[in-house]
Amino acid sequence: MSDQTQRAPDGASVPTPSALDSAHIGDIKGAFGTIGQHEHGRTGVRGRLLAMLAVLGPGIIVMVGDNDAGGVSTYSQAGQNYGTSLLWVLVLLVPVLIVNQEMVIRLGAVTGVGHGKLIFERFGKFWGAFSVIDLFILNFLTIVTEFIGVALALGYFGVSDYVSVPIAAALLVAVTASGSFRRWERFMFLFVAANLLIIPLLIMSHPSGASVSHHIVVPGIQGGANSTSVLLIIAIVGTTVAPWQLFFQQSNIIDKRITTRWINYERIDTVLGSVITVVGAGALIAICAAAFGGTALAGHFTDAGGVAAGLRTAVGPAAGTMYAVILLNASLIGAGAVTLATSYAVGDTFGIRHSLHRGIRDAKGFYASFISFVVLAAAIVLIPNAPLGVITTSVQALAGVLLPSASVFLLILCNDRDVLGPWVNRAWLNAVAMVILGVLLVLSGILIVTTLFPGVNVPRLTVELAIGLGIGLIAFAIAIVISNRRVAPETPRHESARESWTMPQAALLSRPTLTFPVRLAMWILRVYLVVAVLLLIVKAIQLAN
């Protein structure tokens, strides 16, 4: 057991995480309740329900925040251009969301250290910079898409971009810089509740139950598979399972002061958020498929503003208004979450105070980074004649391309016994995570090949890459087994130590010894990222023209 434990009044050990900011230690003060720092646990239905309400937040906010402006736009494009034929993609993403974010939950609650800081400490400056720079670039571009969403949503009501975007930016800063975690979380739940508008919009659009049911379970692509449809599928993956989610939820769990005692409640929080996210995404696809199917607008997506105008014509003025409000709400919660994830990473990387429990005067660098990202992203959106639709789709696809890199670091960290001790991944979870990672790489591989060779037979290519994936996974598993035999076995840790175990100070830990297969995989991944990002840029330019 780590020496970082305290004693509660009842004598039970209470884990104290390796917090970088003292504000990360104390009572849990959630939107719907409080849990004392030294509480050992709660019994009875009422006590557990109250604990659940207090913990509720990071999982739902990160997932609903993922259905941001880019998500609304991407799902709408899928419905308008491909009907309900891509619903099956969302179903496959449910386990991806849950598996990835569950690993993040353990990292946050056990270590008390943000995702970026852990990568720096465990892999060194090179890989730390590689990971964080990727995050900063992608997050900044994502924040730009959020303000694109604001401009399109309020533009539907005739509000000038030069009015709507600055007001939205000021609102985000005011909500985040209040100096109260609880107040911020309550604002976020207001945005979450506003998503319920999607229910009457779904009813008004009258989607086909038979078509929805069929495409949920039967994979297919309306009009056939090609580089454009594959790009959209990767965009769906990238907007539903984005790298910023890993950084946000881990840091938000730490900031909320959730420790290992409350992990199971946070798991429930995350599963609820995953289901809400996928159902909402599926609803948007079904709405646009029903509204535009058989009309002149089918297959002619431009941007989310065009969708709002199209719904007004195809379904009615109320439908256009509700869609615009949903888009505005998604843009605000997305901008708040993504920018906060970036500011958390800045705090981790540079060792500055970074907590929503602190006010601006007490965490100047943290809030300065938040305000800078917001202001710069808002300014870019005000540039005249920018191809907003292409920018939004391309950014979501970029998130899908970068996701395997983030997943690799996540998987290695969750198998590091110095970091997680008895909380490391089980063998079955590693197997599931490796399959998920492989599928993401296959999707990116399809994008690369179809961009270089537009006339390629995509179904045949998919089968060939899937076979290659299977062979690669088997070879990698064999290499791991052989490497593990050459390494001295780890000292087993007792399950009874799980509840009170926390990671020692990261600076005191020796660097992990990476096996040859892992090192090789990381370098292959680096080459893949360079090639995939370059070809994604090529594809985006093609679409813009």
Side-chain angles (χ1 to χ4, degrees):
M1 180 170 61
S2 166
D3 59 0
Q4 293 172 263
T5 57
Q6 299 176 350
R7 290 284 168 183
D10 61 0
S13 60
V14 178
T16 303
S18 310
L20 297 177
D21 190 320
S22 59
H24 295 158
I25 299 175
D27 296 346
I28 295 174
K29 296 180 180 179
F32 307 116
T34 300
I35 297 176
Q37 177 186 357
H38 300 299
E39 282 195 45
H40 181 67
R42 294 191 179 181
T43 58
V45 175
R46 184 175 181 277
R48 289 172 180 169
L49 178 60
L50 291 175
M52 182 71 245
L53 288 173
V55 171
L56 203 69
I60 288 180
I61 291 171
V62 72
M63 295 301 181
V64 176
D66 201 42
N67 276 0
D68 57 357
V72 170
S73 178
T74 301
Y75 303 137
S76 300
Q77 181 179 0
Q80 184 171 350
N81 289 2
Y82 296 93
T84 57
S85 66
L86 297 180
L87 283 173
W88 57 273
V89 177
L90 295 175
V91 176
L92 295 179
L93 290 177
V94 174
V96 180
L97 282 168
I98 294 174
V99 167
N100 272 7
Q101 297 308 123
E102 193 280 333
M103 288 192 280
V104 168
I105 290 169
R106 280 182 283 125
L107 282 175
V110 173
T111 69
V113 177
H115 204 67
K117 183 65 175 178
L118 278 179
I119 293 174
F120 269 103
E121 293 289 350
R122 304 307 287 157
F123 301 104
K125 292 181 179 179
F126 173 81
W127 289 110
F130 176 80
S131 175
V132 173
I133 290 172
D134 280 353
L135 177 79
F136 288 166
I137 294 172
L138 177 60
N139 281 11
F140 178 72
L141 293 174
T142 303
I143 299 164
V144 171
T145 68
E146 310 303 358
F147 283 107
I148 290 174
V150 169
L152 293 175
L154 291 178
Y156 177 83
F157 299 106
V159 181
S160 168
D161 296 355
Y162 295 98
V163 174
S164 62
V165 172
I167 289 177
L171 175 64
L172 285 171
V173 172
V175 167
T176 306
S178 67
S180 168
F181 186 98
R182 172 172 286 166
R183 191 177 300 122
W184 169 84
E185 194 168 73
R186 285 175 175 170
F187 273 115
M188 290 298 105
F189 271 109
L190 285 177
F191 291 134
V192 170
N195 277 278
L196 294 175
L197 268 178
I198 206 167
I199 297 174
L201 182 57
L202 180 66
I203 294 171
M204 291 174 64
S205 64
H206 303 295
S208 167
S211 176
V212 169
S213 301
H214 175 76
H215 289 119
I216 283 176
V217 296
V218 179
I221 302 175
Q222 182 177 296
N226 52 48
S227 60
T228 302
S229 60
V230 171
L231 177 68
L232 182 59
I233 289 174
I234 293 177
I236 292 173
V237 174
T239 193
T240 309
V241 192
W244 69 263
Q245 293 173 260
L246 310 180
F247 288 79
F248 174 86
Q249 190 170 2
Q250 184 167 335
S251 291
N252 201 237
I253 284 171
I254 294 165
D255 206 7
K256 191 165 183 177
R257 304 161 175 170
I258 295 172
T259 61
T260 52
R261 291 193 183 282
W262 314 104
I263 272 185
N264 286 334
Y265 293 99
E266 182 54 29
R267 284 169 171 157
I268 295 171
D269 177 35
T270 300
V271 171
L272 286 173
S274 301
V275 173
I276 291 170
T277 294
V278 170
V279 169
L284 283 170
I285 291 177
I287 287 166
C288 293
F292 301 122
T295 72
L297 293 173
H300 297 288
F301 173 85
T302 53
D303 55 42
V307 173
L311 287 173
R312 178 177 58 199
T313 301
V315 181
T321 298
M322 281 190 283
Y323 181 88
V325 173
I326 290 168
L327 175 61
L328 175 62
N329 177 69
S331 303
L332 291 174
I333 191 172
V338 178
T339 311
L340 186 56
T342 313
S343 297
Y344 276 141
V346 168
D348 276 329
T349 302
F350 298 104
I352 60 177
R353 292 175 174 176
H354 53 293
S355 173
L356 292 173
H357 293 284
R358 297 184 182 277
I360 290 181
R361 292 183 179 180
D362 203 22
K364 294 183 180 67
F366 173 61
Y367 289 111
S369 66
F370 185 93
I371 294 170
S372 298
F373 279 110
V374 167
V375 170
L376 287 174
I380 287 178
V381 174
L382 297 178
I383 297 174
N385 303 318
L388 304 183
V390 173
I391 290 174
T392 301
T393 302
S394 300
V395 170
Q396 308 315 313
L398 178 61
V401 167
L402 294 179
L403 183 60
S405 173
S407 298
V408 165
F409 287 118
L410 175 63
L411 189 57
I412 295 174
L413 285 171
C414 285
N415 282 278
D416 189 336
R417 287 194 174 274
D418 287 336
V419 170
L420 285 184
W423 292 93
V424 292
N425 281 0
R426 307 292 189 187
W428 67 268
L429 183 57
N430 283 330
V432 172
M434 286 299 300
V435 171
I436 289 172
L437 179 60
V439 171
L440 294 174
L441 290 172
V442 165
L443 282 173
S444 296
I446 295 172
L447 175 64
I448 291 171
V449 175
T450 52
T451 301
L452 290 173
F453 309 102
V456 73
N457 185 319
V458 177
R460 179 179 176 181
L461 172 65
T462 303
V463 172
E464 291 172 348
L465 288 176
I467 293 173
L469 168 64
I471 295 172
L473 287 175
I474 293 172
F476 189 78
I478 293 173
I480 287 290
V481 171
I482 293 173
S483 296
N484 286 344
R485 287 178 178 176
R486 297 173 181 172
V487 179
E490 296 281 351
T491 303
R493 299 188 185 277
H494 297 291
E495 289 298 312
S496 59
R498 283 167 63 88
E499 190 174 279
S500 59
W501 200 93
T502 59
M503 184 185 76
Q505 291 293 331
L508 301 179
L509 299 177
S510 58
R511 285 279 172 79
T513 302
L514 300 179
T515 61
F516 173 74
V518 172
R519 294 198 306 273
L520 178 62
M522 291 175 69
W523 281 102
I524 291 174
L525 190 64
R526 188 185 182 199
V527 174
Y528 143 81
L529 280 175
V530 172
V531 174
V533 170
L534 288 176
L535 291 178
L536 178 59
I537 293 171
V538 170
K539 186 63 182 176
I541 293 172
Q542 291 174 351
L543 289 176
N545 296 328

